Amino acid sequence: LGPFKIRKKLCDSSIDAHLFRDDDGKLYLYFVQLPGFRITVQPMATPTETSGDSKVVLRPESEWEKRSGHVTEGPWMIKRAGRYYLIYSGSGADTPNYAVGYATADNPLGPFTRAPHNPIIQRSEGLYGPGHGCAVRGDSGNWWHIYHQKESDRVEWKRCICLDRLWFDQSGSLY
């Protein structure tokens, strides 16, 4: 309920910050640098103190990330079986072409490799512009993706919240 106070400004010209705590307790801040919609990681000593240099880990390169603007944003990190999964969105958020993909790495700093079956959630019959969410693990151990999608195929901001189960196949690919 506030009032809220800014404790520290960590970076300029950025959006979509996500603080990830690894199994060893180390912290990593994933955020998007503007202009250019570059997903960046910053090692953190504490939630408000940086540690070392930041590093760009993804930028708009794939066709689906450039359908309606050159965008990679909304980073969210999860870890499963020693593998890092950076879930993110691409294309313009106010368009029906907004979509969700992911990239994997053996280290939270990368290098990251985009999944060959990206995007994993995208425009289809009655589904417009799904994207920018978070992943949570339920008490049963299942992963869930909470995200928004557009209510129509128009370029606008009218959206609703969605929930889908995330699952992994035998090879560790995320769906």
Side-chain angles (χ1 to χ4, degrees):
L1 297 174
F4 295 98
K5 295 179 183 175
I6 296 174
R7 299 220 15 222
K8 184 168 188 177
K9 185 176 182 179
L10 296 173
C11 48
D12 291 314
S13 302
S14 58
I15 58 172
D16 299 348
H18 167 62
L19 186 64
F20 170 73
R21 182 182 304 273
D22 205 346
D23 299 334
D24 60 7
K26 290 183 181 174
L27 297 169
Y28 302 89
L29 183 67
Y30 294 87
F31 61 95
V32 177
Q33 286 185 320
L34 301 173
F37 289 94
R38 296 161 290 148
I39 297 178
T40 304
V41 60
Q42 170 65 62
M44 304 294 290
T46 71
T48 59
E49 299 294 327
T50 62
S51 173
D53 295 327
S54 64
K55 177 182 177 185
V56 173
V57 293
L58 282 179
R59 63 183 76 239
E61 294 174 355
S62 298
E63 180 276 330
W64 70 272
E65 299 163 355
K66 300 189 287 184
R67 286 181 189 153
S68 299
H70 292 68
V71 177
T72 51
E73 66 180 13
W76 192 271
M77 178 64 72
I78 65 173
K79 185 177 182 183
R80 179 182 175 272
R83 192 104 176 113
Y84 296 88
Y85 293 78
L86 181 59
I87 302 168
Y88 68 98
S89 296
S91 202
D94 63 341
T95 74
N97 293 320
Y98 200 48
V100 176
Y102 75 95
T104 59
D106 294 325
N107 184 300
L109 300 173
F112 285 89
T113 303
R114 287 170 168 84
H117 61 285
N118 277 345
I120 60 170
I121 308 172
Q122 65 181 321
R123 179 183 190 162
S124 62
E125 183 64 37
L127 178 63
Y128 311 106
H132 196 158
C134 66
V136 295
R137 196 164 188 189
D139 291 339
S140 67
N142 292 329
W143 283 98
W144 296 91
H145 189 221
I146 305 162
Y147 61 96
H148 63 70
Q149 74 172 26
K150 296 175 55 47
E151 292 186 4
S152 75
D153 64 353
R154 297 195 327 243
V155 175
E156 63 181 3
W157 294 103
K158 192 170 183 181
R159 302 184 277 196
C160 58
I161 299 293
C162 300
L163 172 70
D164 281 320
R165 185 161 180 244
L166 290 173
W167 58 276
F168 299 86
D169 68 12
Q170 294 282 26
S171 69
S173 293
L174 178 62
Y175 294 89

